[in-house]
Amino acid sequence: MERIGIIGVGEIGRAIVTGLCDGVDKSPEVFLSPRGAGTVAELSARYDGVQVCADNQEVVDRSELVIIAVRRQDRHEALAGLRVNDDRTVVNVMAGVANDDLRRTLGTDAPLVRAIPLPSVRERRSVTVTFPSHPVADAFFERLGGAQPVADEAAFNVFSALTGTLTSHYAYLATLTSWAAAQGIAPDDADRYIRSLFQGVGRALSDGTRSLQQLAADHETPNGNNERIRTTWFDAANSEALGKALDGLLDHLK
Ligand SMILES: NC(=O)C1=CN([C@@H]2O[C@H](COP(=O)(O)OP(=O)(O)OC[C@H]3O[C@@H](n4cnc5c(N)ncnc54)[C@H](OP(=O)(O)O)[C@@H]3O)[C@@H](O)[C@H]2O)C=CC1
């Protein structure tokens, strides 16, 4: 599977192209939709084998695997009227768009696979949840960091809800730096320190031999500073509020 098409080359489309092509010996042929002229021109200039198509139909015609990465609200304009042969594999990365919905728009019998690539596909470090499992789509995401097929769309939605917590995590870190700045610390110093602190936390996650609870315990001294913040701020009520927010998002995704 070496001919890949992408319809919708924005943030995630660009990350996928980078992951496929950057620093690899043998990159696939990649066909991009023309919208976003600056981005697609830059990608095609940077990587051999990346070409910009005249329209979305040409992307489908030239590719074995077609990734749909437009915003949900743009899907009809981008896709209605496209002819998609049954021998193509279509990967739907649009959040909140079920495969039934996409099949109605495309009117094809080609296999449709939902996927949740993360921005870290750029470095080929994203574990991408897929549904249903499909050998071509799963092999594609293996090269970008790993595929994690799930059993049904309900499970897919749970993972999708989890990805909705990502920017809150960054906002949490930004709140910590703002608090430090309010105490008189130079913002650049606070920023540098928080990045270093949490990059260390991120690296510790790669130790799969320790559970998340174990990692928390290992970073905490009894009656120490971490225990104090965890029990006074991330208390049962706060944890329950997070669970409720995720429940609400899951209902919305169903
Ligand atoms: N960003 C992320 O981390 C992830 C995003 N997703 C999903 O991927 C999709 C895209 O997200 P993201 O990359 O962030 O969004 P962006 O807005 O960055 O990219 C969407 C791209 O689609 C283009 N587009 C719009 N209409 C058409 C059309 N008719 N034909 C071809 N291209 C078109 C847009 O062009 P223009 O700017 O000119 O409108 C833009 O370049 C969304 O459905 C999102 O849910 C999934 C996983 C992760």
Side-chain angles (χ1 to χ4, degrees), residues 117-138:
L118 304 174
S120 53
V121 286
R122 194 180 291 116
E123 298 99 32
R124 297 184 283 279
R125 286 192 176 167
S126 159
V127 170
T128 298
V129 169
T130 60
F131 171 77
S133 180
H134 185 281
V136 173
D138 290 347

Side-chain angles (χ1 to χ4, degrees), residues 7-14 33-37 39 56 68-75 77-79 93-97 115-119:
I7 296 180
V9 189
E11 278 305 311
I12 199 67
R14 173 200 278 271
S33 58
R35 186 99 165 233
T39 301
N56 294 349
I68 311 290
V70 294
R71 293 174 295 256
R72 176 192 163 109
Q73 64 272 23
D74 293 331
R75 68 192 187 283
E77 188 208 323
L79 307 174
V93 308
M94 292 178 289
V97 179
I116 318 175
L118 304 174

Side-chain angles (χ1 to χ4, degrees), residues 157-158 160-165 239-253:
N157 288 336
V158 170
S160 192
L162 290 178
T163 67
T165 61
S239 171
E240 196 179 320
L242 177 57
K244 281 212 172 85
L246 286 164
D247 289 346
L249 175 55
L250 189 57
D251 283 344
H252 173 73
L253 292 170

